[in-house]
Amino acid sequence: MSQGKDTVQRTIIIAAALSLVCSVIVSVAAVQLRPIQDKNKALDKKKNILMAASLYEEGAQVDEVFKQYVVPKLLNLADGSYVEGQDPNEYDQYKEAKNPSERLVLDPKVDVAGLRMIARYAVVYEVKKEGELDQVVVPIHGKGLWSTLYGFVSVDSDGNTIKGLGYYDHGETPGLGGEVDNPKWKASWNGKKINDNSGQLQIEVIKGQVDLAREDAQYQVDGLSGATITARGVSYMVQFWLGENGFKQYFDRIKKNS
Ligand SMILES: Cc1cc2nc3c(=O)[nH]c(=O)nc-3n(C[C@H](O)[C@H](O)[C@H](O)COP(=O)(O)O)c2cc1C
């Protein structure tokens, strides 16, 4: 082979051509895979909604079960009324929280979860059984130690009893804050009451273990050992979203109707 072919110019041209080919392959793959990724994301969200409502079983056809039991509704958080004429499936409350004409800037006095801004509307998922409202699954989000946690809480049609809680996205440490995904801890939310008889918000994640002999055990969930900051974040976000500035008006409305 002649040495004259190994010039700097040739090396640069080959490296540039190779990078161009690789970037075209990566771009084409990214564009072609996006619809599949979006579909899987939507399916995962549905699965998490079903899990919060205790309607998911391993291997179940998520789309089928969802269609059978769940009706998405768009809500105006200000009064808990339905927003008509807008498709709930097209509404992204996390995107709208950044849109100046669609967001609400929270008064720091009520912003216990440190959210600063939220969308005016939220999508809730009404679960019907034999035509009757059984429970509603509402979205929650808020800060932990390292990340914002995104999840769902399911509340009975009495508007006051939690039936399930779960997160589908967070970046907390596995084994510490990541214990929010522990099935036993998640199950411990089932049956907890949000407000006391006078309507005062009481639900909280405490530090340590709940003393089941105490009357207020009905409003309390065990803390996460070694992860007090994440647990406190969960407590604050649940209090915000299930309270006056979250879904309280809506819960009061379904309670009256049920
Ligand atoms: C590497 C590392 C990761 C941690 N991850 C978390 C976490 O995800 N959530 C959390 O609340 N605390 C986490 N902590 C611990 C916090 O820094 C803090 O010590 C803890 O929240 C206090 O909880 P405790 O009072 O239950 O010990 C982590 C600590 C280290 C060193």
Side-chain angles (χ1 to χ4, degrees), residues 109-151:
K109 276 190 237 137
V110 303
D111 187 16
V112 287
L115 301 167
R116 292 197 7 251
M117 281 168 284
I118 58 170
R120 277 193 304 148
Y121 303 154
V123 184
V124 298
Y125 301 88
E126 298 191 342
V127 177
K128 308 247 169 131
K129 285 193 181 157
E130 285 153 19
E132 296 283 315
L133 184 68
D134 178 61
Q135 53 187 307
V136 290
V137 182
V138 299
I140 59 166
H141 73 283
K143 293 208 165 47
L145 174 60
W146 308 114
S147 65
T148 299
L149 295 93
Y150 296 88

Side-chain angles (χ1 to χ4, degrees), residues 145-146 172-173 176-177 207 224-230:
L145 174 60
W146 308 114
E172 303 300 285
T173 316
L176 293 170
K207 197 167 157 65
L224 298 169
S225 128
T228 298
I229 301 168
T230 306

